[in-house]
Amino acid sequence: MQRVFKQSFMFSVTTAIALLFAGCGESKVAQCNKVIKVANQASTLGQEFGKNPNPAKGSKALTELAGKIDPLAQEMKTLEIKDEKLQGFQGRFITLYQNISKELNNAAGAIDKKNLPAAKGFLVSLKKSSNEESSIVKEINSYCSAK
């Protein structure tokens, strides 16, 4: 009888410890908040630039914006996300930010070379990236708000 008690006691303790560790992982909401925080920073940069584009700076303004987006792509990359769906969003944001940074630098280079058709092409690509960002934001907000 004492042996059965010991075995069931050990099983109960082991189960309790396993549940404790499983429950210690970050919640979906906490992981969502980490991804959304970085995404909001990038969105704010874009909005601020859109309000005050400062044409006097020319291509330098685009290069500066790209320089501000690069660290956000790195920050997004370093987030530890366990949720598979959120990892997908994270990867899409990283790719998006890397593409936006590249397009901004390319547009700046085209402006410096006075290649207006190329600059317009890069600006069209940036607009597509903006639409893609809106799509990802809607998807992640929907996923994170679901119970």
Side-chain angles (χ1 to χ4, degrees), residues 64-79:
E64 286 175 4
L65 181 58
K68 292 176 182 176
I69 291 175
D70 284 334
L72 292 177
Q74 282 304 116
E75 185 177 344
M76 183 69 80
K77 195 180 282 191
T78 61
L79 295 179

Side-chain angles (χ1 to χ4, degrees), residues 1-130:
M1 181 74 166
Q2 190 175 15
R3 184 172 188 213
V4 171
F5 176 73
K6 268 187 176 177
Q7 286 177 337
S8 87
F9 175 75
M10 289 301 288
F11 177 74
S12 297
V13 169
T14 304
T15 303
I17 291 171
L19 288 173
L20 181 66
F21 281 113
C24 287
E26 274 189 312
S27 70
K28 174 181 149 183
V29 172
Q31 292 178 64
C32 283
N33 288 339
K34 288 188 337 186
V35 173
I36 290 170
K37 178 184 173 217
V38 177
N40 284 341
Q41 291 173 0
S43 179
T44 299
L45 282 175
Q47 289 170 3
E48 288 172 358
F49 182 81
K51 288 178 185 172
N52 304 310
N54 197 351
K57 280 189 167 182
S59 64
K60 185 176 180 190
L62 298 176
T63 305
E64 286 175 4
L65 181 58
K68 292 176 182 176
I69 291 175
D70 284 334
L72 292 177
Q74 282 304 116
E75 185 177 344
M76 183 69 80
K77 195 180 282 191
T78 61
L79 295 179
E80 290 187 33
I81 305 297
K82 303 282 188 242
D83 184 287
E84 286 184 30
K85 185 89 169 165
L86 286 173
Q87 286 174 347
F89 291 125
Q90 178 186 26
R92 289 169 64 191
F93 275 123
I94 292 166
T95 301
L96 176 71
Y97 299 151
Q98 289 170 339
N99 289 342
I100 288 172
S101 179
K102 181 180 172 187
E103 293 299 321
L104 287 167
N105 284 319
N106 288 340
I111 290 169
D112 286 342
K113 293 177 184 174
K114 309 256 188 274
N115 185 346
L116 293 182
K120 285 182 182 179
F122 294 126
L123 294 176
V124 168
S125 294
L126 283 169
K127 182 148 178 62
K128 287 180 185 174
S129 293
S130 174

